[in-house]
Amino acid sequence: MDYIIECKNVTYSYPLAEIPAIRDLNVSIERGKFYGVIGENGSGKTTFCALLRGFIPDFYKGELQGEVLVEGKKTTDYGGELSAKIGYVFQNPFTQISGVKETVFEEVAYGLENFGVPVEEIERRVVDVMQMTDIESLAEKNPFDLSGGQMQRVALASVIVLEPDILIIDEPTSQLDPEGTESVFAIIKTLKEKHKTIILVEHKIDLIAEYADEVLVFKEGRLIASGDKQELLSDLSLLEQGAALPQVAILGSRLRERGLPVSRIPVTEKQAIE
Ligand code: ADP
């Protein structure tokens, strides 16, 4: 199996924390798959993301046991190259915008400039990504003079343009209206079609059901379940443990429990209609 990321016996505590934020984590991430990460607030999802991109223990310090491997190499043995391999999209796009560029075009180009990419290549890649993320009409606007959905698309563009193999996206739609959410997921769908390895933290379980291949469920710092979304999102025992499941899956499972011949439990509305 081609694992792009592996966590082996990982336990991590933030400095001065009494209990670990991540406990006994063993998980392997397959290249090219889309993982949805779910769990209650404080269950360790953001800490998990920080572990994968090497921010733990480098930035947050604290005590790390076990190892996190990206393409077979420990995150602690990487220098700056890890940030070229793993793109991270923040929950709040304000955090992503550099604040030093006056137009959206320059903002999207900024990371490539920092990596010393030749000017013609920067132009080409920025134009392509702006088209893909549907922000061409915003090229001359100030990055802070945008709606939430537009700003999140710019934030995504500024990461995608770096062509990372792995994208970690932390609740990209938590501050967006349905229209903004739809436009962001149109981009995520394109990334999926390009077979990027995607790790998405998302509260909206219906979006996980629609887009993810695999689901990881965290609770109190532990990975309590992981596996194929179809099976996992119809497992009612997870509901008892506090995990959100799609309404159609809950209904399908309950109908089956009552003896109705439901051949496959639907996890999306589309599947339910079929
Ligand atoms: P989630 O993303 O699922 O909401 P987090 O990974 O943010 O969960 O948090 C996991 C645990 O670690 C929580 O108990 C939280 O309070 C704690 N925590 C998160 N960030 C820090 C930090 N920078 N310093 C200390 N404790 C933290």
Side-chain angles (χ1 to χ4, degrees), residues 45-101:
K45 304 182 298 295
T46 303
T47 307
F48 171 61
C49 296
L51 270 169
L52 303 189
R53 61 197 190 103
F55 266 52
I56 285 170
D58 260 16
F59 180 78
Y60 288 107
K61 309 296 178 199
E63 194 192 337
L64 174 67
Q65 289 161 21
E67 51 190 36
V68 183
L69 305 169
V70 175
E71 294 193 318
K73 182 170 159 181
K74 283 196 225 176
T75 50
T76 44
D77 290 342
Y78 275 92
E81 324 94 275
L82 198 57
S83 63
K85 252 185 219 306
I86 303 185
Y88 183 72
V89 181
F90 288 89
Q91 186 170 2
N92 183 344
F94 269 98
T95 319
Q96 198 107 34
I97 305 292
S98 69
V100 299
K101 295 293 182 181

Side-chain angles (χ1 to χ4, degrees), residues 40-185:
E40 295 159 351
N41 277 341
S43 59
K45 304 182 298 295
T46 303
T47 307
F48 171 61
C49 296
L51 270 169
L52 303 189
R53 61 197 190 103
F55 266 52
I56 285 170
D58 260 16
F59 180 78
Y60 288 107
K61 309 296 178 199
E63 194 192 337
L64 174 67
Q65 289 161 21
E67 51 190 36
V68 183
L69 305 169
V70 175
E71 294 193 318
K73 182 170 159 181
K74 283 196 225 176
T75 50
T76 44
D77 290 342
Y78 275 92
E81 324 94 275
L82 198 57
S83 63
K85 252 185 219 306
I86 303 185
Y88 183 72
V89 181
F90 288 89
Q91 186 170 2
N92 183 344
F94 269 98
T95 319
Q96 198 107 34
I97 305 292
S98 69
V100 299
K101 295 293 182 181
E102 284 180 8
T103 69
V104 164
F105 189 97
E106 290 169 22
E107 180 64 36
V108 178
Y110 186 47
L112 293 175
E113 281 172 16
N114 286 339
F115 279 112
V117 175
V119 178
E120 310 80 67
E121 190 183 332
I122 293 183
E123 288 251 331
R124 182 176 54 73
R125 281 166 66 172
V126 172
V127 167
D128 281 357
V129 166
M130 290 185 73
Q131 191 180 11
M132 177 206 164
T133 51
D134 195 20
I135 55 171
E136 294 148 298
S137 60
L138 310 175
E140 296 308 317
K141 285 208 160 197
N142 186 296
F144 289 109
D145 195 14
L146 303 173
S147 72
Q150 290 170 336
M151 203 183 279
Q152 191 56 282
R153 295 211 302 278
V154 171
L156 267 161
S158 67
V159 173
I160 295 168
V161 78
L162 304 174
E163 299 176 357
D165 291 333
I166 305 162
L167 280 133
I168 301 178
I169 310 175
D170 195 354
E171 290 207 57
T173 65
S174 62
Q175 338 231 341
L176 303 185
D177 58 15
E179 200 183 322
T181 300
E182 200 178 309
S183 67
V184 163
F185 269 82

